[in-house]
Amino acid sequence: KINHISSAALRHQGHLDDLDISMNKLTTLSQKLFDFPISAAKKQGRRFFVYMAYNPWNCDCKLGWLAEQLADGSNVFGNRHINCATPTTLVGRSLSEVRQSSLVCPDHTITPDDDIVATPEEDAPFPIAYKVAVVFGCITGVVMILLLVLTAMLYQKRKIKLGSRYELRWNKREYV
């Protein structure tokens, strides 16, 4: 079961119509996760919908954006069975019914669960490993082509030499 989705996971998924992340172990989601699929769907004149029921949601300040969307009657996020699993004061309550003032975060320290992801921009260059692999592949290809051309040239040169010797012998026999 999924317990974390990076905010960059759907960056190139503009073709999605529905996303069902129900019945996992998700406790929080970044609003940035859905930016690209939602904007792509709007540009293409189609809908995008997310099902997210039956996850153990941690109803704190990080889910404030979702609580607001659900309270406003979102047409993107399904609001059925999106219940708080933590904190204890909100256990079992529907996120759409929780007031923003109840969605608090304790003194925030960065933890491994935080969705802090350094992601490159759309036009960022490939990592160096890919560049090295492409250069190595190109060099290998050029060397192989040169070897094939050299082999063909040597074969032709040898064929001509053998052919001319054979021709001379044949001529000698015929005229003798």
Side-chain angles (χ1 to χ4, degrees):
K1 294 197 175 209
I2 301 169
N3 62 13
H4 176 78
I5 302 175
S6 166
S7 62
L10 302 178
R11 175 185 290 150
H12 300 291
Q13 303 300 320
H15 62 281
L16 292 175
D17 290 329
D18 295 311
L19 178 64
D20 190 348
I21 53 175
S22 300
M23 297 163 63
N24 282 290
K25 292 185 178 183
L26 296 168
T27 57
T28 192
L29 288 173
S30 170
Q31 184 175 9
K32 292 179 183 178
L33 173 66
F34 304 105
D35 286 349
F36 186 74
I38 290 171
S39 65
K42 284 180 182 176
K43 285 178 187 175
Q44 297 169 7
R46 54 183 180 75
R47 75 176 188 94
F48 173 70
F49 196 78
V50 181
Y51 302 91
M52 53 180 64
Y54 302 111
N55 281 289
W57 297 111
N58 180 20
C59 296
D60 63 3
C61 62
K62 294 178 194 172
L63 280 183
W65 68 272
L66 182 57
E68 185 178 331
Q69 291 272 334
L70 297 174
D72 292 343
S74 172
N75 61 353
V76 174
F77 301 99
N79 66 351
R80 297 188 68 206
H81 306 288
I82 300 179
N83 300 325
C84 301
T86 56
T88 54
T89 56
L90 299 175
V91 171
R93 291 190 54 196
S94 175
L95 182 59
S96 62
E97 298 171 358
V98 175
R99 292 190 325 235
Q100 286 287 330
S101 60
S102 300
L103 299 172
V104 294
C105 287
D107 293 333
H108 192 69
T109 56
I110 297 175
T111 64
D113 293 332
D114 287 341
D115 196 17
I116 299 174
V117 179
T119 56
E121 296 300 320
E122 290 293 322
D123 58 351
F126 284 110
I128 191 72
Y130 293 120
K131 289 180 181 179
V132 169
V134 169
V135 169
F136 181 74
C138 290
I139 290 172
T140 303
V142 168
V143 168
M144 292 299 291
I145 290 171
L146 288 174
L147 285 173
L148 286 171
V149 169
L150 183 63
T151 302
M153 289 173 58
L154 289 173
Y155 178 75
Q156 284 292 354
K157 187 174 181 182
R158 184 167 184 212
K159 185 178 174 185
I160 291 170
K161 280 187 176 180
L162 287 176
S164 61
R165 284 186 196 157
Y166 178 74
E167 214 173 282
L168 290 174
R169 285 185 201 152
W170 185 75
N171 287 339
K172 286 182 183 179
R173 283 188 196 160
E174 188 176 86
Y175 292 108
V176 175

